[in-house]
């Protein structure tokens, strides 16, 4: 059963979630954060096969929206993720039947980044699973032109200006928003579109630099041939977790590209999801 709810109103923007319930009472909850470079996507992006897999494994599933860039900035996006977790624990628990002490956050790509960022919030999940996420937004890969995306047809700035809305949005179809992301990666302006110029230090938005002794157990999955988010990002995150003594595991998908998990018929992908379920069962 799916129920759509609004967990927050911000600047005239209704930010929603979809809750998929199972019959078991007080079962744990998976909160899924979609990818899309923080620029496009919505809660509806989670693959049905993945939702079904988690439901059958005994988990409720909640997919959430958040305000998108560049209309909103990183500070507001981070705030939305925390507010979603807070709403679920304080209000959602009375509307849906789940155990608020057993919440896992799972995300892919930029959603994986936000999942890792959730481990630094005041309201934290019990477990984190990051599919090809990243922990550092201050590196060259984020700030400079991407060789991979630069090989694609160049996006003119005038098109981007036409696509950016005058008001905050929390759902962005890839068909209308991908060009903004592509432009950012081609021009090395991703960070410029995500932050205010007077933001100062970006450390509060870098999970890699905010790991502490209370950081949740974390599972990282990343293809070593990822053309979008460098595989090194998960390696560095694992190293930071190890230094702080945080339980974590890095699963390397040999020759795995970006979004490798979308091919659910691939035996390697199927095995990776079995690993996810094992990790959730052990720590959730």
């Amino acid at each position: 059963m799916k129920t759509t709810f609004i967990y927050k109103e911000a600047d005239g923007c209704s930010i929603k979630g979809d809750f998929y319930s199972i019959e078991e009472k007080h079962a744990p909850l998976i909160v899924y954060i979609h990818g899309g470079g923080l620029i496009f996507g919505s809660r509806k992006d989670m693959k049905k096969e993945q939702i079904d897999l988690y439901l059958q494994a005994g988990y409720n599933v909640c997919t959430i929206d958040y305000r998108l860039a560049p209309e909103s900035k990183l500070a507001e996006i981070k705030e939305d993720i925390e507010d979603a977790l807070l709403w679920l624990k304080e209000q959602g628990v009375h509307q849906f039947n789940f155990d608020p002490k057993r919440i896992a956050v799972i995300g892919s790509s930029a959603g994986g980044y936000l999942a890792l960022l959730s481990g630094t919030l005041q309201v934290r999940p019990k477990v984190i699973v990051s599919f090809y996420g990243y922990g550092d937004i201050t590196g060259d890969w984020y700030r400079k032109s991407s060789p991979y995306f630069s090989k694609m047809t160049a996006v003119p700035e005038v098109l981007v200006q036409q696509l950016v809305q005058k008001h905050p949005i929390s759902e962005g179809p890839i068909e209308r928003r991908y060009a903004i992301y592509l432009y950012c990666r081609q021009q090395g302006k991703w960070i410029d579109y995500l932050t205010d110029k007077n933001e100062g230090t970006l450390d509060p938005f870098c999970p890699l630099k905010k790991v502490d002794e209370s950081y949740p157990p974390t599972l990282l999955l990343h293809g070593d041939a990822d053309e979008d988010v460098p595989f090194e990002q998960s390696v560095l995150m694992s190293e930071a977790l190890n230094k702080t003594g945080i339980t974590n595991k890095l699963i390397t998908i040999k020759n795995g590209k970006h979004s490798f998990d979308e091919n659910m018929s691939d035996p390697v992908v199927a095995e990776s999801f079995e690993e996810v379920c094992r990790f959730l069962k052990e720590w959730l």
Side-chain angles (χ1 to χ4, degrees), residues 178-192:
Y178 184 72
I180 305 174
Y181 177 69
L182 186 53
Y183 171 81
C184 289
R185 298 305 305 274
Q186 290 176 340
Q187 300 297 324
K189 293 186 176 182
W190 199 7
I191 198 69
D192 298 333

Side-chain angles (χ1 to χ4, degrees), residues 44-85:
K44 302 171 186 175
D45 291 347
M46 189 177 188
K47 299 296 181 183
K48 182 180 183 301
E49 296 91 340
Q50 295 180 15
I51 295 174
D52 290 343
L53 183 149
Y54 293 130
L55 294 175
Q56 291 167 10
Y59 301 97
N60 296 291
V61 175
C62 179
T63 65
I64 60 171
D65 286 330
Y66 50 88
R67 282 173 288 179
L68 299 173
E71 292 84 357
S72 300
K73 304 303 180 184
L74 261 178
E76 294 158 321
I77 295 172
K78 178 182 178 181
E79 178 187 277
D80 289 348
I81 301 306
E82 183 156 32
D83 285 345
L85 294 175

Side-chain angles (χ1 to χ4, degrees), residues 12-165:
C13 180
S14 298
I15 312 175
K16 301 176 181 178
D18 285 341
F19 199 101
Y20 299 83
S21 301
I22 60 174
E23 292 185 2
E24 181 183 343
K25 304 300 181 184
H26 306 297
L29 172 64
I30 289 172
V31 176
Y32 179 81
I33 308 176
H34 70 83
L38 306 174
I39 291 172
F40 62 89
S42 83
R43 68 188 187 281
K44 302 171 186 175
D45 291 347
M46 189 177 188
K47 299 296 181 183
K48 182 180 183 301
E49 296 91 340
Q50 295 180 15
I51 295 174
D52 290 343
L53 183 149
Y54 293 130
L55 294 175
Q56 291 167 10
Y59 301 97
N60 296 291
V61 175
C62 179
T63 65
I64 60 171
D65 286 330
Y66 50 88
R67 282 173 288 179
L68 299 173
E71 292 84 357
S72 300
K73 304 303 180 184
L74 261 178
E76 294 158 321
I77 295 172
K78 178 182 178 181
E79 178 187 277
D80 289 348
I81 301 306
E82 183 156 32
D83 285 345
L85 294 175
L86 188 63
W87 185 92
L88 284 166
K89 287 193 172 188
E90 292 187 349
Q91 300 183 51
V93 70
H94 300 295
Q95 183 173 343
F96 308 108
N97 197 307
F98 66 94
D99 186 346
K101 295 182 179 179
R102 293 191 293 160
I103 296 178
V105 171
I106 299 179
S108 56
S109 196
Y113 158 69
L114 293 175
L116 294 173
L117 192 61
S118 75
T120 72
L121 303 176
Q122 293 297 314
V123 182
R124 302 182 180 188
K126 191 172 183 181
V127 181
I128 294 172
V129 178
S130 167
F131 284 88
Y132 41 92
Y134 44 94
D136 187 11
I137 60 170
T138 62
D140 285 350
W141 81 279
Y142 213 88
R143 291 177 171 272
K144 294 186 177 181
S145 174
S146 161
Y148 172 75
F149 289 106
S150 294
K151 295 176 183 178
M152 301 179 185
T153 302
V155 176
E157 186 176 10
V158 64
L159 173 60
V160 174
Q161 292 173 346
Q162 292 172 354
L163 293 174
V164 174
Q165 304 297 301

Side-chain angles (χ1 to χ4, degrees), residues 222-274:
H222 214 133
D224 60 9
D226 194 317
E227 67 280 17
D228 190 341
V229 178
F231 170 67
E232 179 190 29
Q233 281 294 308
S234 286
V235 174
L236 292 173
M237 192 68 199
S238 180
E239 290 175 352
L241 294 169
N242 285 333
K243 288 179 181 178
T244 316
I246 302 302
T247 297
N248 75 97
K249 182 176 183 180
L250 170 58
I251 296 177
T252 302
I253 308 300
K254 296 297 182 183
N255 302 313
K257 301 287 187 179
H258 200 66
S259 302
F260 70 84
D261 57 319
E262 293 185 2
N263 184 11
M264 298 290 287
S265 62
D266 185 331
V268 174
V269 175
E271 170 59 25
S272 72
F273 275 96
E274 290 178 8

